[in-house]
Amino acid sequence: MSSGFSPCELNSHPSALPGDPSLILVTNVDLGDKKLEVMKACSKAIQKATGKPEAYIAVAITDNADVIFGGSDDPTALGNLYSIGAITMESNGEIHASVSDLLKPFGVDTSRMYINFFDMPRANVGWNGKTFAG
């Protein structure tokens, strides 16, 4: 069964493969008419930190959500970033700093935001009717 990827793609570093990463972010603040701008800036920050093609990066943000952090409903955010490779201490820190900077104008302090980073096995990421493992 063909994977649909060229031998060059299959043998390349996982960070060069298409279809990821994906950031899912939930916050209790209202991003208003700046939401799309924040999403696009998150996408660019992920591309810069991971080296992944932006054409394959997905970002979903849910604002105005019911979220507490440390027992308080002060401005906060929780995120999950999934990627095939490119999950490193350096890139993770760079992404957290960038997303934090983007949310600061909305009152979210850097100390009130978690982003969990998940390095996904190729068999556990589906795209285009199959997984990246084939």
Side-chain angles (χ1 to χ4, degrees), residues 3 7 30 36 83 86 122 125 131-132:
S3 67
D30 183 359
L36 183 58
S83 183
R122 292 166 45 146
V125 180
T131 71
F132 283 95

Side-chain angles (χ1 to χ4, degrees), residues 4 9 13 18 24 35 54 56 83 87-88 93 113 115 126 129:
E9 286 176 306
H13 187 276
I24 301 169
K35 185 174 180 178
E54 191 176 9
Y56 298 113
S83 183
I87 297 293
T88 67
M113 183 177 77
I115 298 178

Side-chain angles (χ1 to χ4, degrees), residues 116-128:
N116 299 299
F117 297 88
F118 299 94
D119 194 349
M120 301 298 295
R122 292 166 45 146
N124 291 351
V125 180
W127 175 67
N128 203 22

Side-chain angles (χ1 to χ4, degrees), residues 10-129:
L10 291 174
N11 293 323
S12 65
H13 187 276
S15 67
L17 291 171
D20 74 306
S22 301
L23 173 66
I24 301 169
L25 190 67
V26 179
T27 182
N28 60 356
V29 299
D30 183 359
L31 300 177
D33 62 357
K34 299 290 185 188
K35 185 174 180 178
L36 183 58
E37 181 180 320
V38 171
M39 292 173 70
K40 288 180 176 183
C42 285
S43 180
K44 290 194 180 307
I46 293 166
Q47 187 281 321
K48 182 177 181 275
T50 64
K52 300 265 188 165
E54 191 176 9
Y56 298 113
I57 294 170
V59 175
I61 296 179
T62 301
D63 60 348
N64 295 311
D66 294 328
V67 184
I68 63 170
F69 186 111
S72 166
D73 66 350
D74 289 345
T76 189
L78 303 173
N80 293 310
L81 187 128
Y82 304 92
S83 183
I84 300 171
I87 297 293
T88 67
M89 186 171 64
E90 293 80 15
S91 65
N92 297 354
E94 187 176 337
I95 291 166
H96 192 281
S98 295
V99 175
S100 294
D101 287 346
L102 291 166
L103 294 180
K104 277 181 190 170
F106 300 94
V108 178
D109 187 85
T110 302
S111 67
R112 292 190 48 81
M113 183 177 77
Y114 285 134
I115 298 178
N116 299 299
F117 297 88
F118 299 94
D119 194 349
M120 301 298 295
R122 292 166 45 146
N124 291 351
V125 180
W127 175 67
N128 203 22

